[in-house]
Amino acid sequence: MNMQALLADELQQEPKDRYSHSKLAYRLNPATAVGHLKKNVVALRTSDSPQQILPELKESFLQHVEPVRPGRKYPRQKDKYRHRKTPVLMRNRKNVL
C-alpha cells in the first residue's frame, strides 16, 4: 500500500491535466492501482532495472481513473454490527483484477 501511495502521489496532477476539459474532476482508482501493483511487485523488487517497469505501471494507473462525484459521502453506521463477536466475511466479493 505504501508503494501504491508513493506512485499515486507522483501521478496526482496527471488525471487533472488529462481530463481538464471534462465536467467532473478525475482521480486515480486506488483499488485497481493496488491490483496492478500486486501483479508487478515481485518484478519491481527482483529486477535489476525497475526503471523499465515503473513507466508501464504508472500508465496502467492512469488508464484506470474515476470521476470525483460531489456530494457522494454516505454516513457510516458505526453501531450496526456491534452485537457480533467476530466480523462476518463477505463471500460475494471478487478481486479487483
Side-chain angles (χ1 to χ4, degrees), residues 5 7 9 15-16 18 25 45 49-50 54 57 59 61 68 71 73 80 86 88 94 96-97:
L7 291 172
D9 190 40
K16 293 176 185 175
R18 281 191 186 186
R45 301 297 287 168
S49 59
L54 282 175
L57 191 60
E59 189 58 38
F61 280 16
V68 178
K73 186 71 175 173
K80 186 174 181 180
T86 59
V88 174
K94 289 193 238 178
V96 175
L97 294 175

Side-chain angles (χ1 to χ4, degrees), residues 11-19 22 24-33 36 58-69:
L11 301 172
Q12 186 177 11
Q13 188 62 30
E14 188 68 26
K16 293 176 185 175
D17 295 339
R18 281 191 186 186
Y19 298 99
S22 162
L24 296 173
Y26 282 81
R27 66 176 183 175
L28 297 176
N29 187 340
T32 56
H36 285 289
K58 289 179 182 179
E59 189 58 38
S60 67
F61 280 16
L62 291 172
Q63 288 176 355
H64 296 87
V65 294
E66 60 185 10
V68 178
R69 296 178 181 98

